[in-house]
Amino acid sequence: MKPVAIVKNARKEPTDDHWEEVSEIILADHIPTEAFENIADFSHLEIIYFFDKANVNDILYYGRPRGNTAYPLVGIFGQRKKDRPNSLGLCTVQLLEHKGRTIRVKYLDAIDGTPVLDIKPVFREFQPKGEIKQPFWASDLMKDYWD
């Protein structure tokens, strides 16, 4: 795969919380500017990116989220940690602005320089139907993630 864009922001290291900052996503040189045509018609986007700084030796296929002994043992596919079998990240962001080859977004949990593999608009019709279910530990883990 070839990245379509790159993330620019102040975050240099991956940490667990406080991802509310604004990021820029800048198109790669081989992608035409027109790829962003009318993107501002959408309020939210899904960003698929590559955890290029993740270490494959750090992948745990099951464990307690963030090593917290109060949380149950959970398999890697029941968690959203960065150390994953294919090092892919997915995040729904709020689109703030589009200017030329750059979009500004909020709530992207990717560090500066992260390669973006794809950008998709959020369609209401693709969102989950019905109530979203998750265990208590997931809500507890996320309490400081976005602020």
Side-chain angles (χ1 to χ4, degrees):
M1 280 190 251
K2 193 171 183 180
V4 299
I6 194 92
V7 173
K8 295 290 179 195
N9 62 29
R11 183 74 63 111
K12 305 302 180 201
E13 298 291 327
T15 56
D16 287 332
D17 291 314
H18 309 294
W19 288 96
E20 72 282 352
E21 68 200 38
V22 172
S23 296
E24 290 185 339
I25 297 176
I26 303 166
L27 287 175
D29 291 341
H30 70 280
I31 303 293
T33 303
E34 292 81 8
F36 277 157
E37 189 69 29
N38 290 319
I39 199 166
D41 290 345
F42 294 92
S43 63
H44 291 80
L45 307 169
E46 293 175 324
I47 309 299
I48 302 167
Y49 49 96
F50 180 59
F51 291 118
D52 64 320
K53 306 263 187 313
N55 184 340
V56 295
N57 296 322
D58 291 340
I59 298 171
L60 297 176
Y61 286 88
Y62 69 96
R64 298 184 194 285
R66 294 194 188 175
N68 187 329
T69 57
Y71 298 157
L73 289 171
V74 179
I76 188 64
F77 299 125
Q79 301 183 46
R80 292 191 62 116
K81 62 193 305 179
K82 67 176 174 42
D83 301 312
R84 309 193 62 76
N86 285 315
S87 301
L88 293 178
L90 167 68
C91 193
T92 302
V93 301
Q94 180 183 3
L95 176 59
L96 301 175
E97 180 181 37
H98 165 229
K99 279 189 178 176
R101 300 182 57 76
T102 302
I103 55 175
R104 290 180 62 242
V105 301
K106 192 168 183 179
Y107 307 118
L108 177 61
D109 57 353
I111 63 174
D112 186 60
T114 297
V116 174
L117 301 176
D118 206 349
I119 301 167
K120 296 177 179 256
V122 172
F123 285 18
R124 196 175 299 118
E125 293 78 6
F126 277 105
Q127 296 308 295
K129 307 297 180 233
E131 184 179 345
I132 295 175
K133 175 185 164 189
Q134 68 183 30
F136 167 78
W137 66 263
S139 297
D140 186 60
L141 180 139
M142 294 297 295
K143 68 181 177 252
D144 294 321
Y145 200 78
W146 298 117
D147 45 64

